[in-house]
Amino acid sequence: MPIVRLPGLIDPHVHLRDPGATHKEDFKSGTRAAIAGGFTLLLDMPNNPGDPTTSPAALARKKDAADGRLFCDVGLYYGATSDNTDTYNEVLHGVFGLKLYLDHTTGDLKIDRLETIREIMLAWPPHKPLCVHAEDRTLAMVLGLLPSVGRGVHICHVSQKVEIELIRDAKERGLPVTCEVAPHHLHLTEDDLPRLGGHGVMKPPLYRARDIDALWANIAVIDMIATDHAPHTLEEKMSDPAPFGVPGLETSLPLMLTAVHAGKLTLDRLVEMMYSAPAAIFRTPEQPDTFIVIDPTATRVIDSRALETKCGWTPFDGMEVRGSLVSVVLRGQEIVRNGKITSERGLGRAALPLA
Ligand SMILES: [Zn+2]
């Protein structure tokens, strides 16, 4: 297949760790990883260890930390706590959505009380995305709340058979729900854990082959791909217990192109899941004269040593994949050539949602 030009990809779910845990990743290294992976816009999650984005002051600190250091455009999310609904009006126009944590993960933002969860869902304006970390029974609870709160939700990183089936059924019954899946949940199972050790520890965890099969069988139900890029240092991942999360910005496009090559989805569907759907659902601003050029069938081997992410490892090290990134052009300027970043200066900007 000849080389192909695609829109700059959008990743709606990353953890750049800045500010608060910049030994893991920061705005510069994380956005370099993004651009090297074909993403020209990403949306950063609020659960920064040490400095969660749950107040107007924390949001301002994050904007300051990003200023002048971005290699791709970055938009931000706000984090829900049990007592910050009164700050929503102040931050609303500066963020792409609210993130609500209903299960245990990195950080301390988990909310348990049903009454509080319902209050948050009612307080965040219905026209703004509400992203929810809700696994297993918690997902059923969130879907059950939809008729009461009269708003939509976006379900993050769906990973189990029963979850994608619940979402499929909810959509069929007309409930306002969208969802994303991370490439690691489409390519790894719990059988990979002995080999991966700490590098296979993530939240949601890896499940069985039947779960992967169900995700692929319901690929039409999945609105978008999100990397859930969640880096930790090599040393941290060797500790016991290892912290949750794996990097994904530089491996997601090749993994998905490998799936295209295997006939699991079309290239058009990949563009829908990695550009059109996140752009429409999160109302991202247009990036004029921005595109990527790929060679969809070129083969290469993923090499941890060649990564831009500060963490310097990936669970996919040594895997042969399809697809190489020939070029990335951001607002008319080429910033990646033959897979390598050509500029020392970042061309990225702080992104704001469309009104
Ligand atoms: Zn996440």
Side-chain angles (χ1 to χ4, degrees), residues 13-15 17 45 47 99 101 105 133 156-157 180 203-204 227-230:
H13 189 150
V14 301
H15 302 267
R17 311 298 197 199
M45 285 293 168
N47 62 329
K99 178 71 178 281
Y101 288 92
T105 186
H133 180 144
C156 296
H157 40 53
E180 67 187 36
K203 199 75 168 81
T227 68
D228 197 9
H229 179 81

Side-chain angles (χ1 to χ4, degrees), residues 140-174:
M141 185 262 291
V142 170
L143 296 177
L145 279 168
L146 290 182
S148 164
V149 296
R151 62 155 308 126
V153 289
H154 175 74
I155 306 298
C156 296
H157 40 53
V158 178
S159 52
Q160 291 190 79
K161 180 174 187 284
V162 66
E163 293 169 355
I164 196 63
E165 290 175 356
L166 283 179
I167 291 168
R168 178 198 63 199
D169 296 347
K171 284 185 172 196
E172 279 173 5
R173 286 168 204 278

Side-chain angles (χ1 to χ4, degrees), residues 273-342:
M273 296 174 92
M274 299 183 81
Y275 169 72
S276 321
I281 290 166
F282 291 102
R283 301 187 56 72
T284 62
E286 203 193 327
Q287 297 179 294
D289 205 6
T290 296
F291 57 89
I292 68 173
V293 178
I294 58 162
D295 180 343
T297 54
T299 54
R300 65 190 176 97
V301 174
I302 292 175
D303 180 358
S304 291
R305 292 164 302 180
L307 297 176
E308 293 284 347
T309 173
K310 194 182 275 192
C311 76
W313 60 272
T314 163
F316 300 103
D317 186 52
M319 182 174 171
E320 188 175 277
V321 287
R322 291 280 172 167
S324 63
L325 193 59
V326 178
S327 179
V328 177
V329 173
L330 179 58
R331 283 180 285 273
Q333 287 189 262
E334 187 176 55
I335 187 153
V336 172
R337 183 83 207 157
N338 292 327
K340 293 284 164 227
I341 297 172
T342 53

Side-chain angles (χ1 to χ4, degrees), residues 62-300:
K62 191 178 260 196
K63 283 181 175 159
D64 281 350
D67 193 30
R69 299 173 60 224
L70 302 179
F71 277 70
C72 70
D73 293 355
V74 174
L76 305 178
Y77 288 108
Y78 198 56
T81 69
S82 50
D83 61 0
N84 72 351
T85 53
D86 59 336
T87 62
Y88 288 175
N89 267 342
E90 215 177 314
V91 299
L92 206 51
H93 303 290
V95 297
F96 284 78
L98 181 74
K99 178 71 178 281
L100 175 57
Y101 288 92
L102 302 180
D103 283 292
H104 177 56
T105 186
T106 304
D108 192 21
L109 296 180
K110 181 170 174 277
I111 296 172
D112 286 315
R113 287 187 67 223
L114 179 61
E115 189 177 9
T116 309
I117 294 163
R118 183 164 174 263
E119 278 166 13
I120 290 167
M121 292 174 83
L122 286 166
W124 187 249
H127 70 280
K128 296 283 289 187
L130 174 60
C131 302
V132 188
H133 180 144
E135 301 175 39
D136 207 79
R137 282 183 289 182
T138 319
L139 171 63
M141 185 262 291
V142 170
L143 296 177
L145 279 168
L146 290 182
S148 164
V149 296
R151 62 155 308 126
V153 289
H154 175 74
I155 306 298
C156 296
H157 40 53
V158 178
S159 52
Q160 291 190 79
K161 180 174 187 284
V162 66
E163 293 169 355
I164 196 63
E165 290 175 356
L166 283 179
I167 291 168
R168 178 198 63 199
D169 296 347
K171 284 185 172 196
E172 279 173 5
R173 286 168 204 278
L175 289 173
V177 54
T178 58
C179 70
E180 67 187 36
V181 170
H184 46 256
H185 288 125
L186 289 168
H187 289 88
L188 297 172
T189 69
E190 60 187 11
D191 295 339
D192 294 297
L193 280 173
R195 173 177 69 80
L196 292 171
H199 291 184
V201 174
M202 58 194 79
K203 199 75 168 81
L206 295 175
Y207 286 102
R208 290 170 290 177
R210 66 192 285 269
D211 294 291
I212 284 198
D213 292 346
L215 292 176
W216 281 114
N218 287 286
I219 193 79
V221 177
I222 301 168
D223 295 277
M224 65 186 86
I225 296 295
T227 68
D228 197 9
H229 179 81
H232 300 279
T233 67
L234 206 49
E235 196 181 14
E236 287 165 341
K237 287 300 265 185
M238 305 291 247
S239 65
D240 190 17
F244 300 126
V246 293
L249 283 168
E250 290 163 271
T251 50
S252 289
L253 176 59
L255 286 170
M256 295 311 293
L257 286 172
T258 306
V260 169
H261 188 76
K264 291 178 164 176
L265 76 166
T266 63
L267 193 56
D268 284 348
R269 180 75 179 116
L270 180 149
V271 172
E272 211 173 275
M273 296 174 92
M274 299 183 81
Y275 169 72
S276 321
I281 290 166
F282 291 102
R283 301 187 56 72
T284 62
E286 203 193 327
Q287 297 179 294
D289 205 6
T290 296
F291 57 89
I292 68 173
V293 178
I294 58 162
D295 180 343
T297 54
T299 54
R300 65 190 176 97

